[in-house]
Amino acid sequence: MPEASSSPRPGSRPGTVEAEPTRDQIRRWRRYLADEIAEAEIYRVIARRKESPEREILLGLATAEKRHEDHWRLLLGNRAENPPRPSPHRILLRWLAKVFGSVFILALAQRAESDSPYAKDQHATPAMVADEAIHEEVVRGLASRGREQLAGNFRAAVFGANDGLVSNLALVMGIGATGVANSVVLFTGIAGLLAGALSMAAGEFVSVRSQRELLEASSPTQVTLEAAEHLDLDQNELVLVYRARGMKEEDAVHRAQERLGYFSCDCDPSFSAHPDGSQGPVDYSDDHEAIGSPWSAAFSSFCFFASGAIIPVIPYLFGMGGLPAVALSAVLVGLALLCTGGVVGLLSGASPFKRGLRQLLIGFGAAAVTYLLGLLFGANLA
């Protein structure tokens, strides 16, 4: 820690002051100091749950934040003692890091780095401004790894639930606006839930099953090994097999000669279904695992859609009806849409509030259309 002093420091370089700092400057610098301390702690907490090289990267970020902390301590002198609490955002982030330590926290940290005020503060050095920009890219890279791991299941969960929310809210509001009995609205909502969930499940089953069948149809077979000994090297089609698999002509010729025993180097086994010529065929189970099971995909889609579609029906399950039921249904779905949109925004590094609001407007827009149509048909039927 630099020697405490309240005397003015020379302004010989960017980030220093030439006169006694004002009360506003001192308040701002102390807030910066508290935030830098909190950010360094956040990175250290996340690092404890990571393995190399991610651990070293996060600890490197914590070290950089310590440099920024030292800068504000230098400007503050003895005023740096007992810094205030960090901003509420960083308090929440630090707590979440201690509890979860997941990709969600890295996504929040990415937003915190992107919102740095240093670019507009003359007392922050150019190096600090550059640091914050680089930190955002580092955290973006770390968060992207977690996003890739969550991509498949997360996408199915969020969009399945969102489809259930929007479609069944639109259905319930449209039917409810016609003035039919509450039991009709309830059974319509249940039917919509089952129809949509079964449709999602069937579609996911067919999609995943088709992908697995396409993978099986595209996998190389053992025919090149079985037929190799009977081929004429000058007039053979074995070269064409490897060219069809993506090899260049000269590589395909070399590979064909390997199969025929002219070479033993086995230079590019990735194009063969039997790489070393002695073991069984290549195992494509990893590719099948990446695609997933059609039954588990169907079950997941059914549950995700149903979890969203049940929310608009909840007021009617408890005996409510009329406008109060429609209003409560809209409120419940609105809260759920804000949550799903906020999570999408959080993981994408965007503003959770803006993404949640966008999701809300889209869902309510679709429901408003069916509600107005329900009012129109209800009036005509009356």
Side-chain angles (χ1 to χ4, degrees), residues 10 131 205:
D131 280 351
F205 179 89

Side-chain angles (χ1 to χ4, degrees), residues 189-212:
I190 297 297
L193 182 155
L194 291 174
L198 289 171
S199 176
M200 290 281 291
E204 197 68 21
F205 179 89
V206 171
S207 175
V208 173
R209 183 61 185 171
S210 297
Q211 289 184 62
R212 293 175 69 91

Side-chain angles (χ1 to χ4, degrees), residues 229-245:
E229 61 180 298
H230 305 293
L231 292 174
D232 181 350
L233 183 59
D234 295 327
Q235 299 288 331
N236 75 80
E237 295 175 343
L238 185 55
V239 172
L240 301 181
V241 172
Y242 293 114
R243 291 191 65 186
R245 292 179 185 174

